[in-house]
Amino acid sequence: MMPDNHLLYSNMEGRTLKIGANNAAPLFSFESVTIDGVTRDQFSGIDLSILKTLSAVLNFTFEIQRSIDNTWGDLQDNGKATGVIGMVYRDEIDVALAHMTITKTRAMAADFTHLYYQDTISILSQAPSISNRTFAVFSPFQPMVWALIILATLFLCLILKTLSMVTESRMGQTSTGSLQVISFNVFRTIINQGNLISVSLWSHRCIFFAWYSFCMIIYALYSGTLIAVLAIPSYEKPVDSLTDLPWAVLQEGYTLGTSRMSMMEFLFKYATEGIYKETWALFNHEDRDQSFIRGDTAYEEVLKREKFLYIGPTLRAHTEALRHGREKFHIGKDSFSSMWIGYACARGAPFKKEFNRLILRILQAGLIIKWKDDELRKMKKARPGKAPSRQRPIKLIYMQAAFYVLLLGYTVSTFTFLLERFH
């Protein structure tokens, strides 16, 4: 009269379970393929490996179907459930999987198995662009340093000219030349790192010795820093954490988004204080379609919309970066909020105990990590990348300032020529 579920469901005798899922690689993914004119879904992922293991041990078959609205869903205040969790709640399917995060409200609509993976949440955006390098040749020194170098050059010219005038009037010795000649030699020294100047007075020799030393130090610092600046590209400031979001949204014009009817949306929506509540105010609530999007198209949205920030699972972010090209994305350094992932079953599902027993054995065997690495390795092989060249030729964008200086010289020379010609 009271049979043991362990005995009944340790061998399900070929029964068929209905499985509902969303596209959430590498945990679970599906794509439509056409073979011999017939289009069908092809499945892959960690969850598929788990499901096949459970099926083989417990002797059941399964049918996988996509969720109705491509969302994970939740139990609403009106008692209705949405998304794939709603399909479980309405007994349309037996199990929901594919990055099904365990939350308090979802646990009121379905029973969850033991968690088998812990994920976090990160901020995903397009890879930051290279910052403006128009004046890269001036970047080794701050404006104050450049101003002091110019002042030191002018000051030295005046000192040398003053000493020359004193020498001629008081000591009767020949000077080092006119102010024009002195200025030319001082400027030539700082450009060529040296100069041959014949002076008879030790006062002049000491000044030039100090000036030569000063020029050598300035030149060494400038050339070394410039090489480092040109060899290592500088990028615009990326968005790495929740504390960066107010600056990005309010000042830089970014749009903040996440998957609709997902754990991420509910995390911010039901926050009563703190940074989560502040982040909720940054979403576009007037046009919700701009911020709350389908989870299966979120990563294409990141690539399509230049200033778009997507808050989503960290594992999924790394997976999509591998699939579309790691160089196209920036994943925030600071992840937050643990996501506990398990299978959602119909309330009172009699096979849940057997599922828990086998999921624990799979975890203890380390198979989850192995299957995850296998999925990521397959995606990496599917998109072979060209190894980046270690040699970085200097691009025009880094040398614009040098050409601007030359153009400025040509322009001044043209106006000077016209003045000399007509006046």
Side-chain angles (χ1 to χ4, degrees), residues 210-362:
W211 181 247
Y212 287 168
S213 302
F214 172 81
C215 292
M216 290 177 62
I217 295 172
I218 292 296
Y219 192 88
L221 291 175
Y222 175 81
S223 58
T225 308
L226 182 63
I227 291 173
V229 168
L230 298 182
I232 303 175
S234 175
Y235 295 94
E236 300 289 348
K237 180 184 176 182
V239 179
D240 283 319
S241 64
L242 292 178
T243 55
D244 295 333
L245 292 180
W247 160 79
V249 175
L250 302 178
Q251 297 184 27
E252 298 298 320
Y254 278 86
T255 299
L256 183 62
T258 190
S259 300
R260 62 170 177 253
M261 303 302 296
S262 65
M263 177 264 186
M264 286 79 67
E265 178 183 353
F266 305 137
L267 176 68
F268 299 110
K269 181 178 181 180
Y270 296 120
T272 57
E273 59 182 0
I275 194 169
Y276 288 170
K277 184 177 180 181
E278 297 171 3
T279 302
W280 177 250
L282 298 175
F283 288 95
N284 189 343
H285 298 286
E286 295 181 359
D287 186 1
R288 288 181 55 85
D289 290 338
Q290 294 296 316
S291 284
F292 303 100
I293 57 181
R294 285 172 42 180
D296 57 341
T297 62
Y299 302 92
E300 286 76 10
E301 289 289 325
V302 173
L303 292 177
K304 185 170 62 175
R305 297 159 64 177
E306 182 178 358
K307 289 193 172 185
F308 182 71
L309 303 171
Y310 176 71
I311 298 179
T314 303
L315 177 61
R316 182 91 191 274
H318 285 283
T319 303
E320 295 298 329
L322 279 177
R323 176 178 295 173
H324 293 91
R326 185 64 182 85
E327 70 282 358
K328 298 179 181 179
F329 293 96
H330 175 77
I331 302 173
K333 296 179 181 179
D334 297 338
S335 57
F336 57 95
S337 184
S338 296
M339 303 177 70
W340 305 96
I341 300 170
Y343 286 172
C345 308
R347 296 301 298 267
F351 53 81
K352 191 184 80 168
K353 185 176 180 180
E354 288 301 305
F355 272 35
N356 286 337
R357 181 177 64 86
L358 292 176
I359 288 174
L360 286 176
R361 290 182 61 184
I362 291 172

Side-chain angles (χ1 to χ4, degrees), residues 14-135:
R15 298 178 186 177
T16 300
L17 295 183
K18 296 180 180 179
I19 310 296
N22 283 320
N23 203 351
L27 290 177
F28 190 85
S29 62
F30 44 77
E31 58 179 345
S32 298
V33 296
T34 302
I35 302 176
D36 298 330
V38 179
T39 302
R40 62 184 65 183
D41 287 334
Q42 183 173 336
F43 307 107
S44 61
I46 301 171
D47 281 329
L48 184 64
S49 299
I50 297 175
L51 201 56
K52 287 181 177 180
T53 304
L54 297 177
S55 173
V57 175
L58 300 179
N59 189 22
F60 68 87
T61 60
F62 55 87
E63 296 177 353
I64 300 177
Q65 54 183 293
R66 305 188 185 198
S67 65
I68 299 174
D69 52 2
N70 292 297
T71 63
W72 282 261
D74 202 5
L75 184 64
Q76 305 297 301
D77 296 335
N78 58 9
K80 295 182 179 180
T82 58
V84 69
I85 202 72
M87 298 172 68
V88 176
Y89 184 68
R90 295 185 296 271
D91 291 326
E92 298 173 6
I93 57 176
D94 299 301
V95 179
L97 47 81
H99 216 289
M100 181 55 64
T101 308
I102 304 172
T103 65
K104 181 179 179 180
T105 51
R106 287 176 180 171
M108 297 170 63
D111 287 344
F112 279 88
T113 64
H114 283 306
L115 64 94
Y116 61 90
Y117 193 82
Q118 180 184 0
D119 202 357
T120 56
I121 302 176
S122 296
I123 302 173
L124 185 71
S125 60
Q126 286 188 19
S129 57
I130 297 178
S131 58
N132 190 346
R133 311 299 291 165
T134 302
F135 299 100

